[in-house]
Amino acid sequence: AAWRFVLVRPAEFRGLAGAAEQAAFDRLPAVPAEVTDQLLEELYERMLPAAGDADFELFSESMFRFNWLAGNCFAGRQGGAYNGPLLERLVHRIRDWGIRGVGQSSWGPTLFVLLPCQEAAELFRGRVSELVEGVTLAAEIGEPDNEGARLSVASPV
C-alpha cells in the first residue's frame, strides 16, 4: 500500500492512439514463443512472488525486466524497447539515480517509476526537471490499485 508510481511524460510528446495505434499493431510481427516464455517466467517466477512478499527491490527490478522484454516486441515501430532516444535516455538516467523500477506505459511517451513511499515519490517528482536538460517533463504521483479487477464476458447477441 505504501508504494507509489510517478508517471513522467515529456510535455511536447504524444503517444499513439486510435487508427494510428491500430495500424502500428497491424504491422508488428508476432511475438516469438521464446519471448512469451521469458515474459511468463518473469511474471510467475519473480514479479508475482515479489509482489506477494512485498519485496520492493525484487519487484522493481522484475518490473523493469518485464517491461524491457515486452517493449522490445515493439522495436520495429519504436526503434527499441522504448519509443525513441529521449525515452530511452530518461529510463537510463532514472536507473542511474538508483531507481530500479521504471518502464514505458504502452507506446509512451509516459514512463512509470516505482518508488517505495509517498515521501520518496515526492522527492523524485521534485527532481524530475534534472533528468534531461531542455525538456519539460510532467510528473504525477499515483497509488497502486490493490483491489484487482473483475472481467466479465457478455454473451454474443
Side-chain angles (χ1 to χ4, degrees):
W3 298 358
R4 295 292 180 266
F5 284 92
V6 178
L7 303 178
V8 177
R9 184 180 57 78
E12 64 274 7
F13 289 86
R14 297 287 175 251
L16 286 176
E21 181 179 24
Q22 186 59 56
F25 272 120
D26 291 344
R27 288 190 297 270
L28 288 172
V31 176
E34 59 270 13
V35 173
T36 299
D37 291 344
Q38 289 175 311
L39 288 165
L40 290 171
E41 179 182 343
E42 189 66 48
L43 179 66
Y44 289 119
E45 299 294 322
R46 287 176 282 288
M47 192 184 305
L48 290 176
D53 293 340
D55 185 332
F56 178 80
E57 294 301 325
L58 182 60
F59 182 85
S60 296
E61 191 63 41
S62 180
M63 184 183 71
F64 167 77
R65 281 192 306 265
F66 186 95
N67 187 262
W68 183 83
L69 281 167
N72 275 307
C73 296
F74 300 90
R77 171 60 172 85
Q78 61 185 18
Y82 309 105
N83 197 351
L86 174 60
L87 294 185
E88 184 170 352
R89 194 168 63 211
L90 285 168
V91 168
H92 290 298
R93 182 89 164 118
I94 291 165
R95 286 184 55 88
D96 286 347
W97 284 2
I99 298 168
R100 310 323 298 157
V102 59
Q104 177 177 287
S105 175
S106 189
W107 294 98
T110 301
L111 299 176
F112 53 86
V113 181
L114 181 60
L115 293 147
C117 63
Q118 182 71 26
E119 181 181 6
E122 290 172 7
L123 287 170
F124 174 80
R125 183 177 60 186
R127 292 188 63 202
V128 158
S129 64
E130 300 170 30
L131 283 168
V132 178
E133 191 174 319
V135 176
T136 302
L137 299 170
E140 296 178 35
I141 298 173
E143 297 179 23
D145 179 357
N146 291 321
E147 299 300 316
R150 289 207 165 101
L151 297 176
S152 61
V153 178
S155 307
V157 178

